[in-house]
Amino acid sequence: MTAWQQKLKPRLIAGYWSIQGSVPVLGRVRKQFPDQQSAQLESDKLTAKVSNAIAGGEIRETLLSKTQEADAHSALKILESNPNFPSDWSLAQVVTWAGNVYTNAESVRTIPEACKEWIQELKNLKRSSVHCKNMTQRITKFGKWFPGKNVSDITTENIRQWISDQDGNYGPFAGRQVSVTTRTNELTTLKSFFNFCEGRKFLPESPVDKSVKSPGINRGEIIALDLDKVREIMTIASGIADKAEAIPYFALSLFAGLRPHEIRPKDGLKQIKWEDFTWRKKESTLVISYAVGKVTSRRVIKLPDNCVAWVKPHAKESGPVIESSFAKWRGIKDLVRARAGYKVRGQHFKHLDPELAKVSDGQDRPKYVADVLRHTAISYYLEVNDNNKDLVANWAGNSPAVIDQHYRSLIKGTKELSPSDMVKEYWNIKPMRTKQSVVK
């Protein structure tokens, strides 16, 4: 106990309970009280007031013990780091939710009944409508293979056979050529569903235990585009009718490393908006909020100069960067990819370029690599920042380990250009004043 806390303790002086002494913030205190209880209550309030003022905080409304404060602090840390809870939930909301869902009694649910409650839980946690629809389809299919079964009737062997592609097993993939990624995604869904059922006491324990091994996933090779392809893509985006949306999308992907769903998700609910940008002469920035980004942490992206040069001319005061419906935007995006020479099905842009749509799915065209624009941005950003994986991880919204594993040394250089020369040219790719031109 500090000296000032000692001075704020009630004392019996000349027959009266009193608080007397000079303390920080309050100065000299001289108060008398009719009884010890009143004096102690005032002492607690004054102590809290001084403590908060010294710490630079606001006046506290509650007087928690140190153990209670530590417990609340730990709970807040768990809440902030857990992606299963909405970013705007308070501790009170989490406790209320837990009180509604927790029970000691075991209940009985069929697979469709449990699925309905699970999907409602996902909606309460603000999962996207697309995600909820996909989960509903998977569990509905699973339930049809086990009609009339309760979730407690499903065994570990049922799960093991469900994700197997071996002939003779009881499941939708048996005897079929199905990728390991598809089967792993199915297992992930079942694990989440049955963990929910276990938590709701619909069954003693989840049948998806450690003995059910994941089939694995097919990891695509991460590549970075060369300078000519980057210039080509930006030239194409600059030449189409919907360039006011195409240019910001491809520039933010190639020069700021944004994920596709951060710019234009399928449901259109959580995406970057023009008000997320701050335009400055020396350093413009873009804030990716908790709701928009893939990870639970907020990140602030320092926009490279060439990215600003592409995007700022199309900026508005507010509203989403991509205003078009997802169906329309998919057509615009596929058109740019097809004109860049990639293998793309023409059904989504045939109204924009009918002749190209007839041949864009040809076998002689290379397949478009998912997230190649983002991979390109991160690779060049890592090079220009001397392989500082911590800095780049924060910029890209990823972990240093992922940056180090996937993006280091992807820029090889050419006979004419060293890697450092390529990096310099990459970050100097800017629009020219003349139409449909890109600085080389």
Side-chain angles (χ1 to χ4, degrees):
M1 181 177 293
T2 63
W4 66 263
Q5 288 175 321
Q6 185 68 38
K7 291 179 180 178
L8 288 177
K9 290 187 64 176
R11 291 174 291 167
L12 191 60
I13 302 175
Y16 293 94
W17 283 99
S18 306
I19 299 176
Q20 296 184 12
S22 295
V23 297
V25 181
L26 303 178
R28 188 177 182 184
V29 179
R30 291 176 62 89
K31 292 189 176 185
Q32 289 185 340
F33 303 90
D35 52 60
Q36 184 180 7
Q37 184 178 3
S38 300
Q40 187 60 54
L41 179 61
E42 182 65 11
S43 173
D44 291 341
K45 290 181 178 179
L46 294 176
T47 301
K49 186 174 182 179
V50 174
S51 297
N52 279 275
I54 291 175
E58 297 178 353
I59 303 304
R60 297 171 58 173
E61 297 181 1
T62 59
L63 295 174
L64 300 177
S65 68
K66 289 185 177 181
T67 301
Q68 291 171 325
E69 284 189 357
D71 186 54
H73 179 73
S74 298
L76 283 171
K77 289 294 184 183
I78 295 172
L79 177 60
E80 290 172 357
S81 62
N82 192 327
N84 292 320
F85 292 109
S87 59
D88 58 349
W89 269 26
S90 65
L91 279 181
Q93 288 174 295
V94 174
V95 173
T96 301
W97 167 81
N100 291 332
V101 302
Y102 181 77
T103 175
N104 283 321
E106 189 170 311
S107 304
V108 176
R109 294 289 191 281
T110 64
I111 295 173
E113 289 171 343
C115 177
K116 185 177 180 180
E117 293 186 40
W118 181 51
I119 297 302
Q120 185 57 53
E121 179 74 359
L122 295 178
K123 292 179 179 178
N124 292 342
L125 293 172
K126 299 183 180 180
R127 297 296 185 266
S128 71
S129 59
V130 174
H131 177 75
C132 292
K133 181 180 179 180
N134 290 339
M135 297 303 101
T136 301
Q137 291 174 342
R138 288 179 183 177
I139 299 302
T140 298
K141 179 179 67 176
F142 182 81
K144 288 180 179 179
W145 281 70
F146 300 95
K149 293 282 188 180
N150 295 328
V151 292
S152 58
D153 296 328
I154 303 301
T155 66
T156 299
E157 184 58 29
N158 292 148
I159 301 297
R160 191 177 289 111
Q161 291 205 23
W162 178 262
I163 63 169
S164 172
D165 62 353
Q166 299 297 311
D167 283 328
N169 282 332
Y170 185 75
F173 310 124
R176 295 175 54 198
Q177 293 290 330
V178 181
S179 72
V180 293
T181 301
T182 297
R183 293 188 288 125
T184 295
N185 290 341
E186 196 76 18
L187 178 61
T188 300
T189 299
L190 292 176
K191 184 176 182 178
S192 178
F193 172 67
F194 280 105
N195 281 346
F196 166 82
C197 293
E198 181 182 344
R200 288 293 184 92
K201 306 294 183 181
F202 299 160
L203 73 173
E205 59 183 3
S206 170
V208 190
D209 59 23
K210 293 182 179 180
S211 69
V212 183
K213 302 302 181 183
S214 171
I217 59 175
N218 289 325
R219 294 192 178 275
E221 189 70 25
I222 291 179
I223 63 171
L225 299 177
D226 61 33
L227 299 175
D228 289 339
K229 181 58 71 174
V230 173
R231 293 189 184 104
E232 180 184 5
I233 289 173
M234 292 310 302
T235 299
I236 294 169
S238 302
I240 66 174
D242 296 286
K243 64 181 180 181
E245 290 188 339
I247 289 177
Y249 175 87
F250 285 96
L252 289 169
S253 300
L254 281 166
F255 305 123
L258 266 64
R259 298 178 175 90
H261 75 264
E262 292 174 339
I263 309 176
R264 183 54 172 95
K266 285 185 178 181
D267 57 21
L269 297 178
K270 300 173 182 178
Q271 63 191 91
I272 61 168
K273 298 182 178 181
W274 289 116
E275 48 263 46
D276 298 327
F277 291 81
T278 300
W279 306 108
R280 304 182 185 91
K281 289 184 178 180
K282 290 186 177 181
E283 181 181 297
S284 296
T285 55
L286 167 61
V287 174
I288 304 298
S289 66
Y290 302 97
V292 173
K294 180 180 179 180
V295 294
T296 57
S297 59
R298 171 181 179 268
R299 78 183 194 271
V300 179
I301 298 175
K302 177 183 176 182
L303 297 175
D305 291 342
N306 66 335
C307 184
V308 173
W310 284 106
V311 177
K312 190 175 180 181
H314 303 282
K316 300 177 181 179
E317 290 295 326
S318 61
V321 172
I322 306 297
E323 293 183 344
S324 297
S325 67
F326 185 78
K328 179 182 178 181
W329 171 244
R330 181 170 52 186
I332 297 170
K333 186 169 57 175
D334 284 356
L335 174 63
V336 174
R337 292 176 177 177
R339 287 185 176 176
Y342 290 106
K343 185 177 184 293
V344 182
R345 296 177 65 183
Q347 64 189 61
H348 300 305
F349 67 88
K350 61 184 178 181
H351 60 291
L352 300 172
D353 193 335
E355 294 304 315
L356 178 60
K358 294 177 183 179
V359 299
S360 63
D361 199 26
Q363 295 301 317
D364 57 329
R365 288 170 163 251
K367 290 184 178 180
Y368 183 82
V369 179
D371 285 341
V372 68
L373 306 182
R374 170 176 162 83
H375 296 329
T376 300
I378 296 175
S379 301
Y380 279 96
Y381 198 73
L382 185 63
E383 287 289 337
V384 81
N385 286 284
D386 300 320
N387 289 315
N388 186 333
K389 60 184 179 182
D390 295 309
L391 182 150
V392 177
N394 182 64
W395 184 79
N398 227 320
S399 70
V402 168
I403 297 297
D404 190 56
Q405 179 182 356
H406 295 297
Y407 298 102
R408 187 182 292 278
S409 299
L410 286 185
I411 311 303
K412 303 294 185 182
T414 64
K415 290 182 178 179
E416 296 78 18
L417 297 172
S418 67
S420 59
D421 290 334
M422 285 187 67
V423 169
K424 289 178 182 178
E425 288 206 19
Y426 182 85
W427 296 111
N428 196 41
I429 297 177
K430 298 179 181 179
M432 293 183 67
R433 294 183 183 277
T434 56
K435 294 182 178 180
Q436 300 183 25
S437 299
V438 177
V439 174
K440 292 188 177 181

